[in-house]
Amino acid sequence: MRKLLFAGAGVAALVSAGCATTTQEVREAAPSSPPAQTAPAEPAAAAPVENPLLAGWSGPYGGVPPFEKVRVEHFKPALEASIEEYRRELAAIANNPAAPTFENTIAALEDAGRTYDDVTTLYGIWGSSMNGPEFQAIQREMAPRLAAFSDEITQNEKLFQRIEAVYNSPDKAKLTPEQQRLTWLRYTNFVRAGAKLDAGAKKRLVDINQRLASLYTSFSQNVLADEENHAVVLESEADLAGLPDSVRAGAAAGAESRGLKGKWAVTNTRSSMEPFLTYSARRELREKVWRNYVNRGDNGDARDNNQSISEVLALRAERAKLLGYQTHAHWRLENTMAKTPERAMQLMEAVWTPAVARAREEVADMQAIANKEGAKLKIEPWDYRYYAEKVRKAKYDLDQNEVKPYLQLEKLREGMFWVAGELFGFSFTPVSNVPVYHPDVRVWEVKDKASGKHVGLWYFDPYARQGKRSGAWMNAYRNQERFKSEVSTIVSNNSNFVKGAPGEPVLISWSDAETLFHEFGHALHGLNSNVTYPTLSGTAVARDYVEFPSQLLEHWLSTPEVLNTYALHYQTGKPIPSELVAKIEKASNFNQGFGTVEYLSSALVDMKLHLAGSQKIDPDAFERDTLGALGMPKEIVMRHRTPQFGHVFAGDGYSAGYYSYLWSDTLTADAFEAFTEGKGAYDRTVAERLRKNVFSVGNTVDPAEAYRTFRGKDAGIDALMRKRGFPVPGTAQKKPAK
């Protein structure tokens, strides 16, 4: 895939949209393993000719990743050799005696680093999906070297002078709009990465970025270790009280994978934790599972992340000052839709107050049920999901255990394919003639239904396993382009569902089904790409825009067309009853206080950490004090506590950017109303306008302009508030009847 060098990030950020599983409408992106960037601290060792990572991708569909040939020992020599090749290509561009032009400079950069891109793509896949002790050792060694290589590129004065010359040339006006956008992006990213700094500042920047890369690597590895090494083992049937069969089966599989056959284990991942907290009648075990999960990276041991977070924040603040910005947050948001931290904070604060008010109502409802049952307790965080289900049952006569038998993973996947066909004209056909990196991974060819033309490949890696980070995400192995020839995209969706027994369907929750559709939305964003230059392709858009297409696709899960055909009972094969669908619809805004507060508290803490500037930060104390000042309900904990906040501390990607999900959801809510104002969810005219102006254009157009062209207006906050069931600002609210 093509890597876009994000200004000053110290790494060539993998252009993928990664998301961790979340609740309801708020979806999260999570960084993949520390992004790949390389630094030439010493002459590269000659790589063996037979290293498969250095060979061009061969095989069908324009070439596919050689997963079956990859070994961990291939990575270091392949990284070193691809860096050297990339260096030679960059030197040829920088030292070209001809006057700088778009073709010999900007376009030439698009064709440089192809081998490096392929190698770092596989490196990122192994880091997120096949990570083990041997690979982690390579990550620790290579992270600072990769970061330094990124700085070497952006600090290449001859190269930057040529980019700047093209950017400032009057001939730029003669370029196509896409070429002008690419020129602007290259120039802007080099400047933001410190290309105009003096020699002393550049040297310090290199040191900062190398140190940050090492800290990001250790942060990720610490969280992964706490997820893999901490599990709550259930010894007897009594420990399973309240758990439905599907959760019991998952816990049994979790224990067996740890050599504890005959017992049950709640692993330290969200996909295992959430259902246990929702259904377990054993309060003391709920608390134990909850504490295990929320204390990842915060156990005061060798894997504790607090000290490294303090250092990361200090280094980011110093880097921002070097680059001429007030804070890291101001630097990160400069080229986003929000533009400034103040605008992002304005949106978050507008939603925070009604969300907290709704959460307090939810807690009161739960406490009332606990009191009625004679439970002598005050609702605590480990009680929230358990009593929320009781409230759902009481208020809406809706039991999630009634819904789950209809939510088969494979049937929902078929439903996603059908939606993609209706909205974008895609067809999906399973293929077995391409290698995969794990037996769980399957591949489909995507075609245009009308013409039969090949569009791309979709890889699906759905199950949790050792060495795979938690959450859910999308990745692009190769981006679509038409630069020198037609190149089709290769995308993947990755999840962490608990694998069932052989031959048994995997049943998932409604929230997990929304996440499944969400990640597929990212994949469709990549598959629809129709641009010339790979750097502008697919999901390579502003951070607070990239979640818009994915969050939008979640709306199609609940459409009758999907539920009636693909929500089939795993035993009877009958579709989900209409009365159950009606209950789901009626309860669509249930628990929005919890979902919004859980997410938004993380986003606010993220932003405030990065607005603190050079202030020395004690992460635990800062988190506690900030939440106290915000009026955080004590019954809810941040979705990602600071010591495990991989979006923010496993790389720069979402640092000061976790607000992006809320920003994107303002677009999502407004955009879906374009369908409901038309002929409904499958309005072909609106879908074509969406494809043409959003899903296919990548970063060739300013996102605000692209959205206005699609919708005919900017998105305000009203649709977002309606979607969440919160009061719409300026609208008179009806008083509840006495």
Side-chain angles (χ1 to χ4, degrees):
M1 65 177 288
R2 201 70 187 145
K3 313 298 188 297
L4 174 60
L5 198 66
F6 287 102
V11 295
L14 297 180
V15 180
S16 63
C19 295
T21 28
T22 70
T23 62
Q24 310 259 5
E25 75 299 342
V26 178
R27 288 289 173 267
E28 318 162 16
S32 47
S33 64
Q37 242 47 31
T38 318
E42 63 218 43
V49 175
E50 66 273 15
N51 192 319
L53 275 66
L54 296 172
W57 292 0
S58 60
Y61 313 112
V64 294
F67 289 127
E68 84 284 16
K69 300 176 183 177
V70 178
R71 302 291 179 271
V72 170
E73 59 268 23
H74 293 145
F75 281 108
K76 180 183 174 183
L79 287 167
E80 292 173 331
S82 64
I83 289 166
E84 285 302 310
E85 179 185 296
Y86 198 178
R87 272 204 193 105
R88 292 191 295 270
E89 293 166 344
L90 292 170
I93 299 170
N95 297 322
N96 188 342
T101 65
F102 176 85
E103 290 299 330
N104 69 21
T105 302
I106 307 299
L109 282 169
E110 289 296 282
D111 209 33
R114 298 278 189 179
T115 302
Y116 177 76
D117 288 348
D118 289 347
V119 172
T120 51
T121 292
L122 293 168
Y123 181 71
I125 293 167
W126 251 249
S128 60
S129 302
M130 299 288 286
N131 208 330
E134 292 181 6
F135 186 81
Q136 289 180 6
I138 295 170
Q139 284 183 307
R140 289 190 292 271
E141 178 182 356
M142 295 305 297
R145 296 177 61 187
L146 294 171
F149 182 55
S150 175
D151 286 325
E152 179 186 333
I153 296 172
T154 55
Q155 294 186 11
N156 184 322
E157 292 189 14
K158 288 184 177 180
L159 184 62
F160 176 65
Q161 287 168 4
R162 293 184 69 86
I163 294 170
E164 187 174 38
V166 177
Y167 178 76
N168 290 325
S169 171
D171 290 339
K172 187 174 69 172
K174 301 175 184 177
L175 300 175
T176 68
E178 185 174 342
Q179 290 171 336
Q180 291 185 45
R181 180 76 174 174
L182 180 61
T183 302
W184 167 82
L185 191 64
R186 285 287 184 187
Y187 173 77
T188 301
N189 283 345
F190 266 68
V191 172
R192 284 171 48 77
K196 289 190 170 185
L197 296 179
D198 61 38
K202 283 182 176 178
K203 182 180 183 305
R204 178 56 186 154
L205 192 63
V206 170
D207 292 341
I208 289 173
N209 286 334
Q210 288 188 61
R211 179 58 182 159
L212 283 172
S214 293
L215 290 168
Y216 297 156
T217 300
S218 63
F219 183 98
S220 299
Q221 293 183 358
N222 287 346
V223 174
L224 180 62
D226 276 359
E227 288 176 346
E228 293 186 341
N229 297 331
H230 294 271
V232 175
V233 178
L234 310 177
E235 302 285 348
S236 68
E237 280 283 338
D239 292 342
L240 305 178
L243 300 182
D245 290 343
S246 59
V247 178
R248 290 180 175 221
E256 188 168 351
S257 69
R258 284 165 169 71
L260 299 170
K261 190 171 183 178
K263 297 185 179 182
W264 303 264
V266 184
T267 58
N268 207 18
T269 63
R270 186 173 296 279
S271 58
S272 187
M273 173 274 293
E274 283 192 340
F276 186 83
L277 294 190
T278 301
Y279 298 113
S280 174
R282 294 287 300 275
R283 190 175 190 233
E284 75 284 8
L285 291 177
R286 292 202 307 268
E287 180 178 358
K288 190 173 182 181
V289 167
W290 178 84
R291 290 193 183 280
N292 246 12
Y293 188 78
V294 302
N295 286 328
R296 290 168 299 145
D298 194 25
N299 290 303
D301 56 11
R303 296 290 189 178
D304 193 283
N305 276 327
N306 283 285
Q307 186 173 341
S308 64
I309 290 170
S310 297
E311 188 177 354
V312 165
L313 292 168
L315 290 170
R316 283 175 173 168
E318 182 184 356
R319 180 176 62 186
K321 291 290 187 185
L322 273 176
L323 293 168
Y325 294 87
Q326 182 181 342
T327 69
H328 177 79
H330 288 85
W331 175 64
R332 289 296 298 169
L333 269 69
E334 182 186 48
N335 61 355
T336 63
M337 286 191 77
K339 302 299 184 187
T340 67
E342 291 75 21
R343 287 190 71 201
M345 285 294 296
Q346 185 179 16
L347 173 63
M348 288 192 283
E349 288 170 349
V351 178
W352 176 255
T353 300
V356 169
R358 178 61 53 79
R360 297 199 190 286
E361 294 173 5
E362 293 168 3
V363 170
D365 288 343
M366 291 187 284
Q367 190 66 58
I369 283 186
N371 294 345
K372 186 177 180 181
E373 291 180 345
K376 297 185 186 320
L377 59 83
K378 291 273 290 179
I379 299 296
E380 298 286 353
W382 49 90
D383 300 317
Y384 208 110
R385 290 174 176 85
Y386 181 71
Y387 280 99
E389 281 306 298
K390 290 177 178 286
V391 173
R392 192 196 310 266
K393 177 73 173 165
K395 275 195 166 186
Y396 302 101
D397 192 25
L398 177 62
D399 184 342
Q400 289 287 47
N401 282 322
E402 291 182 70
V403 180
K404 200 168 186 178
Y406 295 94
L407 301 179
Q408 302 177 59
L409 176 61
E410 290 303 309
K411 288 297 181 183
L412 290 172
R413 174 190 53 72
E414 293 174 14
M416 296 192 314
F417 288 174
W418 181 82
V419 169
E422 292 298 299
L423 295 181
F424 303 116
F426 290 154
S427 67
F428 291 75
T429 306
V431 296
S432 57
N433 59 337
V434 299
V436 293
Y437 55 84
H438 189 276
D440 286 344
V441 181
R442 290 168 290 156
V443 187
W444 281 259
E445 181 186 11
V446 186
K447 290 183 178 180
D448 179 81
K449 285 198 299 186
S451 66
K453 180 183 176 183
H454 173 78
V455 172
L457 294 176
W458 183 72
Y459 287 61
F460 189 38
D461 182 4
Y463 303 123
R465 61 176 172 270
Q466 288 286 105
K468 184 180 182 182
R469 70 174 176 83
S470 62
W473 64 97
M474 169 268 187
N475 198 3
Y477 300 165
R478 181 175 67 209
N479 279 356
Q480 173 273 333
E481 61 175 283
R482 294 191 308 271
F483 175 33
K484 291 195 168 180
S485 62
E486 289 277 351
V487 176
S488 61
T489 190
I490 302 175
V491 298
S492 75
N493 281 155
N494 313 268
S495 306
N496 271 278
F497 298 112
V498 178
K499 195 173 185 178
E504 291 186 2
V506 175
L507 303 179
I508 66 177
S509 68
W510 184 265
S511 176
D512 282 341
E514 288 182 315
T515 299
L516 191 68
F517 271 67
H518 173 96
E519 297 306 331
F520 192 59
H522 283 308
L524 292 177
H525 193 181
L527 288 164
N528 272 287
S529 181
N530 184 22
V531 307
T532 301
Y533 300 101
T535 290
L536 302 175
S537 181
T539 58
V541 298
R543 185 64 74 186
D544 51 10
Y545 192 66
V546 75
E547 298 299 330
F548 161 44
S550 55
Q551 289 178 177
L552 182 60
L553 200 79
E554 295 173 32
H555 287 80
W556 275 265
L557 167 64
S558 59
T559 59
E561 293 86 344
V562 169
L563 294 180
N564 291 337
T565 307
Y566 300 100
L568 306 179
H569 196 282
Y570 78 103
Q571 290 174 323
T572 67
K574 292 182 179 179
I576 189 169
S578 58
E579 57 270 24
L580 190 52
V581 173
K583 290 178 184 179
I584 293 171
E585 176 62 28
K586 189 178 178 182
S588 60
N589 287 322
F590 175 71
N591 226 26
Q592 279 293 328
F594 173 82
T596 304
V597 167
E598 186 195 43
Y599 154 74
L600 199 48
S601 57
S602 294
L604 285 163
V605 168
D606 164 41
M607 187 64 78
K608 288 176 179 292
L609 280 168
H610 291 101
L611 285 172
S614 56
Q615 173 187 338
K616 185 171 176 55
I617 301 291
D618 174 337
D620 277 345
F622 188 95
E623 176 185 303
R624 182 178 61 250
D625 295 345
T626 300
L627 294 177
L630 286 169
M632 175 78 164
K634 69 178 183 59
E635 299 87 359
I636 305 177
V637 70
M638 293 165 64
R639 184 162 188 84
H640 303 286
R641 288 197 55 242
T642 312
Q644 65 233 203
F645 208 164
H647 299 75
V648 174
F649 295 109
D652 273 330
Y654 277 79
S655 59
Y658 197 58
Y659 78 92
S660 298
Y661 297 93
L662 188 65
W663 191 278
S664 290
D665 208 31
T666 61
L667 305 179
T668 300
D670 183 66
F672 193 68
E673 288 190 353
F675 284 90
T676 58
E677 291 163 5
K679 297 177 181 177
Y682 297 93
D683 188 319
R684 297 279 173 101
T685 302
V686 179
E688 174 56 22
R689 206 163 69 235
L690 182 70
R691 184 202 62 78
K692 181 180 179 182
N693 295 295
V694 176
F695 275 76
S696 69
V697 298
N699 198 13
T700 62
V701 182
D702 178 86
E705 178 185 330
Y707 188 82
R708 276 192 295 271
T709 305
F710 158 67
R711 191 68 170 102
K713 66 182 182 70
D714 290 324
I717 195 176
D718 290 6
L720 174 72
M721 302 301 270
R722 283 192 290 270
K723 177 182 176 181
R724 293 174 186 242
F726 296 163
V728 176
T731 302
Q733 301 298 307
K734 292 181 180 180
K735 292 183 178 180
K738 292 184 180 180

